[in-house]
Amino acid sequence: MKLSYVYVSREDFTDRDRFRSKLEEAERRLKESGLSLFRRVMHENPKGVLGPIPVKEELCYSCGEIEKVEREVVDGREIYLCERCRRMREIAKELGDAKYMLAISWGDEIRNPGELSIDNPDYGVYTGPLNFTLSGLQVSYHLCKTLDSAIQLVYMFMKQGLKAMDIDIYKINDTDLSYEFESLRSLDKEYEEVARKVSVGFKFISKHTPLSEEGDIREFDDMAKASEGSKMIGYLKLDIDDLGRRLKEYCEGIADFLTFSEMMSFIMEGCIEYILSMRLSDKGDMNKLYLIYSGGDDLFLVGSWDKVVEATEKIYGELEGILKMDYGGLTVSAAILIEDPKTPVKICAEAVSEKLRRVKEAGKNGINVTGRKISWKGFTDSLVTAKKLSQYINEGIISRGFVFQLSRLISDYEDDPEKTWTTYRYRLKYLMARSFERGVMDELERKLLMEDVYRELCERFVYLTNITYLAELYTRREG
């Protein structure tokens, strides 16, 4: 993480031009700080950047890290996890059960920071790595299952003589605070000081975590097995386009800036998980997805590859209306990566980020599935066609070999783009006539089917790479 700062005065907040100038200065300093950091690292430790890279057999199953890796047995299978991934797994599991988040800013230095690390399942409190006073910061966060557990924790800290500047209790993903206000008003006398010190609010957090039947966090191998067709894992990275430019154009004062930021936080942190829970076709589909991050201007989603693809279509469909894309509003870019479940998440995250970067370079407002940017309409149309094609293959109406013949046709077209589309159109018609001869329908129905699919494929020829790729995944039979 890089940070930069500039000094501001009261006049900077009231004068729009001065406020905008301060934002630009902060951005310039941020870029300069990144360059100076890179120069310092290269000067002090060039081998650490350029290699050699140590090789170790016990790599973290999740991120590929080699330090502090320990062996675990999960579902009868031996895996290795680093300390960081073990703690992240703890947070994900605890966050799923938490109803409140307690945030405390400490005014004085904590002599014994470890005493703030309260992990007590009986009282419904978890701190884990969220005690940042251990790192020298003056803040700690605590996940609580009930309002009473949060109040009891504050009361305990106060009894120990620990002095806090601010104490905030946030209700997670729920804006109805009537119960909380009434509870604070009716506290016993010994808790009156707690009631005076505490502020209550709400906060949106992407907290959905897929769980196994035993209540453990679902493994990638398990989610891959639940995929339709190919047993693979899908990764989605989505980013709102030109958010910084929009901030400069429309935010002339601090009030505009805060309103815009809060609105984006509400959309990305509060709406995405709700969209998925409401729009996915089956209630069990949510348990095949892991919304790792959604906030700011981007999101990162992992899960069964077919549900990731479906979720991408649903998310875009809702964001298109929320952001008013058809009326000059914000647009989004995205990338999908489909990989083996055993590939470390860190490697896949970097790969899908690179695919997203290509979309940005190609003009934004699109999605990259097979290596090139296509429009969102093209993605939606190709997904519908791929599903229809897969249905015909699974019903035995079309041979699966037809998909591979289509792939060869696309490859020939891309290798020799000078040839007219007409040449390939007739080759496509010939290919379909041969493929559908193996069908089980009578001659008239086969002809109607061929003409219908032929017309649709002709209209979407530019998207055939995506159609064949998705159809091949949908119809693959493994195990």
Side-chain angles (χ1 to χ4, degrees), residues 171-231:
K171 194 172 186 180
I172 299 176
N173 297 347
D174 191 346
T175 60
D176 184 359
L177 303 177
S178 55
Y179 168 76
E180 286 68 31
F181 290 137
E182 181 60 33
S183 297
L184 288 174
R185 280 195 294 265
S186 58
L187 285 175
D188 295 337
K189 283 190 175 182
E190 63 177 319
Y191 292 101
E192 285 182 352
E193 189 177 357
V194 174
R196 288 196 300 269
K197 290 277 189 179
V198 165
S199 299
V200 178
F202 61 87
K203 186 174 286 292
F204 293 111
I205 301 175
S206 300
K207 56 179 287 188
H208 170 71
T209 302
L211 300 177
S212 66
E213 294 180 357
E214 293 76 21
D216 297 321
I217 294 179
R218 203 169 185 184
E219 295 291 331
F220 278 11
D221 279 339
D222 190 28
M223 286 195 287
K225 290 176 182 177
S227 299
E228 180 179 351
S230 184
K231 307 308 176 187

Side-chain angles (χ1 to χ4, degrees), residues 379-403:
F379 168 71
T380 303
D381 289 347
S382 60
L383 178 59
V384 171
T385 305
K387 286 183 175 181
K388 187 181 297 185
L389 198 58
S390 303
Q391 179 185 345
Y392 292 149
I393 292 172
N394 291 332
E395 292 175 356
I397 299 171
I398 303 175
S399 167
R400 191 166 182 264
F402 175 65
V403 175

Side-chain angles (χ1 to χ4, degrees), residues 158-177:
M158 294 175 66
K159 282 293 185 182
Q160 292 175 354
L162 300 174
K163 296 182 179 180
M165 288 179 61
D166 295 298
I167 304 174
D168 299 304
I169 297 178
Y170 293 107
K171 194 172 186 180
I172 299 176
N173 297 347
D174 191 346
T175 60
D176 184 359
L177 303 177

Side-chain angles (χ1 to χ4, degrees), residues 102-106 116 130-133 138-142 157:
L102 176 63
I104 306 178
S105 298
W106 300 98
L116 301 180
L130 302 177
N131 177 13
F132 294 105
T133 61
Q138 298 298 102
V139 63
S140 64
Y141 297 93
H142 313 268
F157 287 152

Side-chain angles (χ1 to χ4, degrees), residues 126-156:
Y126 172 81
T127 304
L130 302 177
N131 177 13
F132 294 105
T133 61
L134 293 170
S135 304
L137 301 177
Q138 298 298 102
V139 63
S140 64
Y141 297 93
H142 313 268
L143 300 177
C144 304
K145 293 183 180 180
T146 66
L147 179 63
D148 286 342
S149 61
I151 292 173
Q152 290 286 348
L153 186 59
V154 174
Y155 180 75
M156 184 187 75

Side-chain angles (χ1 to χ4, degrees), residues 161-441:
L162 300 174
K163 296 182 179 180
M165 288 179 61
D166 295 298
I167 304 174
D168 299 304
I169 297 178
Y170 293 107
K171 194 172 186 180
I172 299 176
N173 297 347
D174 191 346
T175 60
D176 184 359
L177 303 177
S178 55
Y179 168 76
E180 286 68 31
F181 290 137
E182 181 60 33
S183 297
L184 288 174
R185 280 195 294 265
S186 58
L187 285 175
D188 295 337
K189 283 190 175 182
E190 63 177 319
Y191 292 101
E192 285 182 352
E193 189 177 357
V194 174
R196 288 196 300 269
K197 290 277 189 179
V198 165
S199 299
V200 178
F202 61 87
K203 186 174 286 292
F204 293 111
I205 301 175
S206 300
K207 56 179 287 188
H208 170 71
T209 302
L211 300 177
S212 66
E213 294 180 357
E214 293 76 21
D216 297 321
I217 294 179
R218 203 169 185 184
E219 295 291 331
F220 278 11
D221 279 339
D222 190 28
M223 286 195 287
K225 290 176 182 177
S227 299
E228 180 179 351
S230 184
K231 307 308 176 187
M232 304 283 272
I233 286 291
Y235 295 81
L236 165 67
K237 188 165 187 182
L238 182 144
D239 181 80
I240 297 178
D241 299 325
D242 297 323
L243 198 58
R245 179 176 63 82
R246 295 296 181 111
L247 278 170
K248 291 180 181 178
E249 288 180 358
Y250 302 113
C251 297
E252 298 183 346
I254 187 65
D256 300 333
F257 182 82
L258 291 175
T259 301
F260 191 92
S261 298
E262 287 297 320
M263 186 59 67
M264 293 311 305
S265 296
F266 171 73
I267 293 171
M268 298 304 292
E269 297 170 13
C271 295
I272 298 299
E273 187 171 320
Y274 180 77
I275 289 170
L276 292 176
S277 64
M278 297 299 293
R279 291 294 308 277
L280 290 176
S281 55
D282 187 84
K283 291 183 179 180
D285 290 346
M286 274 296 283
N287 208 39
K288 300 176 184 178
L289 295 172
Y290 199 154
L291 189 54
I292 293 180
Y293 175 75
S294 180
D297 65 347
D298 60 353
L299 69 86
F300 187 44
L301 179 71
V302 183
S304 303
W305 78 264
D306 57 319
K307 297 309 171 188
V308 168
V309 171
E310 182 182 346
T312 303
E313 181 193 20
K314 304 300 184 188
I315 291 171
Y316 175 77
E318 293 295 328
L319 288 181
E320 183 181 24
I322 293 172
L323 300 176
K324 304 297 182 184
M325 296 183 190
D326 293 337
Y327 302 95
L330 294 166
T331 60
V332 296
S333 298
I336 291 176
L337 177 73
I338 297 174
E339 261 292 348
D340 187 284
K342 292 181 173 58
T343 307
V345 175
K346 183 178 180 180
I347 294 175
C348 294
E350 292 172 353
V352 75
S353 295
E354 174 60 22
K355 292 182 77 171
L356 178 58
R357 184 185 65 81
R358 294 178 192 170
V359 178
K360 297 285 191 178
E361 291 179 347
K364 306 176 184 177
N365 192 21
I367 183 170
N368 182 345
V369 180
T370 58
R372 296 181 182 179
K373 173 201 166 187
I374 63 170
S375 69
W376 283 103
K377 184 178 186 304
F379 168 71
T380 303
D381 289 347
S382 60
L383 178 59
V384 171
T385 305
K387 286 183 175 181
K388 187 181 297 185
L389 198 58
S390 303
Q391 179 185 345
Y392 292 149
I393 292 172
N394 291 332
E395 292 175 356
I397 299 171
I398 303 175
S399 167
R400 191 166 182 264
F402 175 65
V403 175
F404 298 101
Q405 294 294 328
L406 270 180
S407 299
R408 183 180 299 176
L409 178 65
I410 298 164
S411 178
D412 291 344
Y413 180 73
E414 292 177 344
D415 291 341
D416 190 9
E418 296 299 321
K419 285 188 178 180
T420 62
W421 155 235
T422 305
T423 304
Y424 293 95
R425 183 178 63 186
Y426 285 117
R427 283 185 58 185
L428 175 61
K429 188 153 190 155
Y430 173 72
L431 171 63
M432 295 180 69
R434 289 192 57 186
S435 299
F436 295 160
E437 286 176 357
R438 305 181 185 130
V440 295
M441 307 170 72

